[in-house]
């Protein structure tokens, strides 16, 4: 154990020294990332070990009281691939149980058929980017009416997340994004609506994003049942880009977390890591760091549910007012 700790300490020191010349006026990108992910990689204190043991007991009690867990992976939808992965032509299309081609944005319901979980509604989460992968996959909102998943492009080239080293090869070896990432179907961040609570920013013309913090690596195109825990108000080049923090209902810690404060208890360091990763992930490409509203902190579950309801209503109004082919003409599509 002492040897492993020594390796981790040496690796972190090397990381800091290696990138110490990458600082900017906004602060050092690499130092911030190292600090965030070091908090995820650190060894638990005796107090945290005790809390973890208590958490396992609480989990067992909650599962027993519910008579089991809910399966998070939906069997209602299937996918098919067209083209070669990592090519401009690659697409993943969705179908329902009858084999009918559907849109993952418009046709998959926002709320899961499993109903309520505790005090919050279970939601359907469409996975675009599995954790620890680099290809920037996204639902092609401009390709109506089926909006398949494709790899995003910039200047005609496929986009990838920058690769970052952390903690040698013990935990996150040469990984990119450490959470399953995707969208909430039937939501839309209205680019014509100004939010007075978030610096009068306008929506980014996309569905609401989900950052899923569970342990399992999902697959591109998988539809998971999740419960929301909180939300970040990220501001990307002046546009409001909500990031809902959620967890798959079948994760081993799902019954322990019901609100944003629970995340820090049972997933220590995760909220800081999410904040810093989304703040800085574009910096290697020459972009400025993203900013956050709401006091630069994640808001609670109640705020997340309110935002989800508002963006669901915005989506409903969108599809009533516009032909699907006109949706992307409301505003140039933001590369976020």
């Amino acid at each position: 154990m002492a040897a492993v700790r020594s390796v981790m300490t040496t690796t972190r020191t090397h990381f800091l020294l290696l990138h110490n010349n990458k600082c900017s006026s906004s602060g050092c990108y690499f130092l911030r990332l190292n600090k965030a992910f070091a908090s995820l990689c650190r060894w638990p204190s005796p107090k945290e070990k005790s809390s973890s043991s208590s958490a396992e007991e609480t989990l067992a009690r909650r599962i027993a009281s519910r008579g089991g867990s809910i399966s998070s992976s939906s069997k209602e939808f299937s996918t098919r691939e067209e083209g070669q992965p990592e090519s401009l032509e690659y697409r993943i299309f969705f179908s329902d149980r009858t084999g009918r081609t559907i849109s993952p944005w418009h046709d998959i319901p926002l709320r899961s058929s499993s109903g309520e979980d505790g005090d919050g509604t279970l939601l359907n989460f469409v996975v675009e980017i599995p954790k620890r992968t680099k290809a920037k996959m996204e639902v092609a909102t401009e390709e109506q009416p089926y909006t398949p998943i494709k790899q995003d492009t910039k200047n005609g080239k496929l986009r990838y997340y920058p690769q970052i080293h952390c903690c040698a090869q013990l935990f996150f070896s040469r990984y990119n994004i450490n959470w399953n990432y995707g969208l909430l179907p039937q939501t839309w961040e209205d680019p014509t609506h100004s939010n007075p609570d978030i610096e009068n920013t306008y929506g980014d013309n996309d569905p609401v994003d989900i950052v899923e913090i569970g342990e399992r690596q999902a697959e591109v195109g998988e539809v998971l049942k999740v419960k929301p825990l909180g939300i970040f108000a990220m501001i990307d080049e002046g546009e409001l880009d909500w990031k809902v923090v959620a967890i798959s209902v079948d994760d081993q810690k799902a019954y322990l977390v019901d609100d944003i404060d629970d995340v820090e208890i049972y997933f220590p360091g995760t909220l800081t890591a999410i904040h810093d990763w989304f703040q800085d992930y574009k910096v290697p490409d020459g972009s400025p760091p993203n900013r956050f509203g709401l006091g630069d902190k994640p808001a609670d579950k109640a705020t997340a549910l309110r935002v989800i309801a508002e963006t669901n209503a915005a989506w409903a109004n969108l599809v009533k007012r516009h032909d699907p082919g006109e949706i992307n003409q409301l505003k140039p599509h933001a590369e976020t």
Side-chain angles (χ1 to χ4, degrees), residues 1-21:
M1 186 66 71
V4 174
R5 287 196 181 105
S6 176
V7 170
M8 292 182 67
T9 301
T10 301
T11 302
R12 292 175 188 169
T13 302
H14 174 70
F15 186 94
L16 291 169
L17 292 175
L18 178 63
H19 298 294
N20 196 43
N21 62 344

Side-chain angles (χ1 to χ4, degrees), residues 78-154:
S78 58
T79 59
R80 73 175 189 277
E81 298 175 284
E82 293 188 5
Q84 294 296 317
E86 297 191 74
S87 72
L88 295 175
E89 296 74 31
Y90 183 64
R91 298 290 186 275
I92 298 176
F93 288 89
F94 288 70
S95 301
D96 62 16
R97 284 181 172 177
T98 70
R100 179 177 65 96
T101 301
I102 62 171
S103 163
W105 181 20
H106 300 307
D107 298 321
I108 293 177
L110 169 62
R111 293 173 177 82
S112 167
S113 59
S114 297
E116 300 285 332
D117 178 73
D119 63 349
T121 302
L122 295 183
L123 305 174
N124 284 320
F125 159 50
V126 179
V127 180
E128 296 170 304
I129 305 170
K131 65 191 301 183
R132 303 190 190 111
T133 61
K134 64 179 181 177
K136 178 68 170 65
M137 308 298 293
E138 65 175 17
V139 165
T141 58
E142 73 278 10
E143 296 185 14
Q144 302 288 338
Y146 298 126
T147 63
I149 290 179
K150 68 172 185 179
Q151 188 167 350
D152 191 18
T153 60
K154 186 173 184 179

Side-chain angles (χ1 to χ4, degrees), residues 17-51:
L17 292 175
L18 178 63
H19 298 294
N20 196 43
N21 62 344
K22 300 292 185 178
C23 294
S24 66
S25 59
S26 61
C28 183
Y29 159 67
F30 291 104
L31 289 176
R32 284 200 299 272
L33 284 176
N34 184 70
K35 179 181 178 182
F37 292 115
S39 68
L40 288 175
C41 299
R42 77 196 196 306
W43 295 98
S45 67
K47 181 178 180 181
E48 290 171 338
K49 289 180 180 179
S50 175
S51 174

Side-chain angles (χ1 to χ4, degrees), residues 242-255:
W242 293 106
K243 306 294 182 187
V244 174
V245 179
I247 190 167
S248 294
V249 296
D250 68 346
D251 188 82
Q252 64 179 347
K253 293 184 179 180
Y255 291 101

Side-chain angles (χ1 to χ4, degrees), residues 215-267:
E215 180 180 0
R216 184 176 72 88
Q217 182 187 47
E219 298 179 3
V220 180
E222 195 170 354
V223 181
L224 301 181
K225 296 179 179 67
V226 301
K227 60 178 180 178
L229 305 171
I231 193 167
F232 283 96
M234 192 180 90
I235 302 172
D236 183 357
E237 298 182 8
E239 295 179 329
L240 181 56
D241 188 1
W242 293 106
K243 306 294 182 187
V244 174
V245 179
I247 190 167
S248 294
V249 296
D250 68 346
D251 188 82
Q252 64 179 347
K253 293 184 179 180
Y255 291 101
L256 296 172
V257 287
D258 291 309
D259 212 319
I260 199 66
D261 291 338
D262 299 328
V263 177
E264 190 58 38
I265 296 172
Y266 297 106
F267 295 83

